[in-house]
Amino acid sequence: MPLFDRVRELPLVIDRVELEPHALSLKHMTRRTTVVHLHGDGHEGVGEDVSYEEDLQLAFTDAALPSLAGTHTLEAFSGLVADQPGYRPWGLESAALDLALRQAGLSLAEVVGREPKPVRFAVSQSAVREWRELYPDIRFKLDASDKWTDEVVAELAATGAVDVVDLKGLYEGEWVDATPSAELYGRVAKAFPDAWLEDARITDETRPVLEPHHDRLTWDFPIHSVADVDALEWEPRCLNSKPSRFGSVQRLFDFYDACEERGIALYGGGQFELGPGRGQIQHLASLFHPDVPNDVAPKEYNDGGPRPGLPQSPLPPASSEPGFR
């Protein structure tokens, strides 16, 4: 049975909606998210809008939403919020899934027929040497950089701790520090022969360098649906699954089904969640792709530099209690 068929008819009773803004001051920006609280029938469901645009977050008020009160199915609720901007649909749908499961007294693991397992994670952080001094077994998902000389790459590769290199080839903006070039891609591919290479920009210049490594190419930025997987130049062996990019539970679950059918491995990715959204992507990793370099490290890793006392990999299995937390 398709995964979404297991949840589409879950009844959902909503009495009221509460929105809780979160903010974290960083060196160059303030990261804002909004936690969605859906209340109904004595239960509460939570989700998190992780849209990066500050204007979208500041505009996320009750007035921005259609009327959500009433009795729905999960599928019908999805239709109500489908046109919301940014990553807001996932924030609302994840809260609805949590609430519907709680009202039904069911865990997500029970409904989708999956056993929760410990979650292995990799850390998206620089200062590799300092992190490894504190945590010798730590694994990394690193952003490539134009500053990666042969010497830098050799030092990083010598750690044997890099599982994924994000080439950032499909992003644009002054903050992007990796020019899509045959020189950079060739250097990275040669130095990290066992690492996944994420989000390369395929051009006439880079294609000859990437083609011998096409079975190690993985994608994040362009993947919002199964159709996006079909549109890739090379059939992937692995993909980064960021639930918020899919927007709806149906598109995410259809993606899980398609990847399982095609033998495509998955690892999870985060969106700098400040609230319950982080736990929810860890929950999904526990059910669908636990023993891989998931980029779902506990949010404490985003709150400061290397320091002792942080949770280590693997994380405990997802809860089997009712809901999606």
Side-chain angles (χ1 to χ4, degrees), residues 28-93:
H28 300 296
M29 62 175 286
T30 297
R31 174 59 170 139
R32 299 182 185 276
T33 70
T34 302
V35 175
V36 177
H37 301 265
L38 299 180
H39 299 269
D41 197 26
H43 297 276
E44 178 189 22
V46 298
E48 186 174 10
D49 173 15
V50 294
S51 302
Y52 286 98
E53 297 85 348
E54 186 174 42
D55 289 348
L56 275 182
Q57 293 293 345
L58 294 176
F60 193 4
T61 64
D62 293 341
L65 291 173
S67 176
L68 300 179
T71 301
H72 319 273
T73 62
L74 186 66
E75 183 176 39
F77 178 89
S78 177
L80 285 176
V81 302
D83 293 332
Q84 290 291 304
Y87 296 132
R88 193 175 297 169
W90 175 254
L92 291 159
E93 286 212 27

Side-chain angles (χ1 to χ4, degrees), residues 227-262:
D228 295 325
V229 181
D230 296 336
L232 294 173
E233 181 166 337
W234 290 304
E235 179 75 17
R237 287 181 53 226
C238 184
L239 291 169
N240 184 341
S241 172
K242 286 188 177 176
S244 51
R245 287 205 193 281
F246 291 85
S248 76
V249 174
Q250 179 168 8
R251 280 197 297 274
L252 176 64
F253 281 11
D254 288 349
F255 171 77
Y256 285 155
D257 285 334
C259 288
E260 182 170 23
E261 180 181 339
R262 301 177 190 186

Side-chain angles (χ1 to χ4, degrees), residues 2-170:
L3 283 171
F4 189 65
D5 284 353
R6 299 170 182 259
V7 299
R8 68 165 73 234
E9 295 298 329
L10 281 174
L12 175 66
V13 178
I14 299 175
D15 299 327
R16 58 190 174 90
V17 181
E18 291 182 358
L19 303 177
E20 178 190 0
H22 283 228
L24 177 65
S25 295
L26 304 170
K27 186 175 181 180
H28 300 296
M29 62 175 286
T30 297
R31 174 59 170 139
R32 299 182 185 276
T33 70
T34 302
V35 175
V36 177
H37 301 265
L38 299 180
H39 299 269
D41 197 26
H43 297 276
E44 178 189 22
V46 298
E48 186 174 10
D49 173 15
V50 294
S51 302
Y52 286 98
E53 297 85 348
E54 186 174 42
D55 289 348
L56 275 182
Q57 293 293 345
L58 294 176
F60 193 4
T61 64
D62 293 341
L65 291 173
S67 176
L68 300 179
T71 301
H72 319 273
T73 62
L74 186 66
E75 183 176 39
F77 178 89
S78 177
L80 285 176
V81 302
D83 293 332
Q84 290 291 304
Y87 296 132
R88 193 175 297 169
W90 175 254
L92 291 159
E93 286 212 27
S94 54
L97 177 61
D98 185 29
L99 180 59
L101 290 169
R102 289 174 179 274
Q103 290 175 342
L106 298 170
S107 70
L108 183 58
E110 182 179 358
V111 170
V112 299
R114 297 272 178 153
E115 178 187 353
K117 296 182 179 179
V119 177
R120 184 158 68 90
F121 66 83
V123 176
S124 293
Q125 291 286 350
S126 54
V128 169
R129 184 182 305 154
E130 291 83 351
W131 281 107
R132 293 188 76 240
E133 286 175 355
L134 286 168
Y135 307 107
D137 295 329
I138 196 169
R139 309 297 299 177
F140 291 92
K141 176 179 182 287
L142 298 180
D143 291 349
S145 168
D146 291 337
K147 300 181 179 68
W148 278 16
T149 62
D150 288 339
E151 293 74 20
V152 170
V153 169
E155 181 180 353
L156 292 171
T159 67
V162 180
D163 291 326
V164 184
V165 178
D166 189 348
L167 298 170
K168 294 294 183 186
L170 303 181

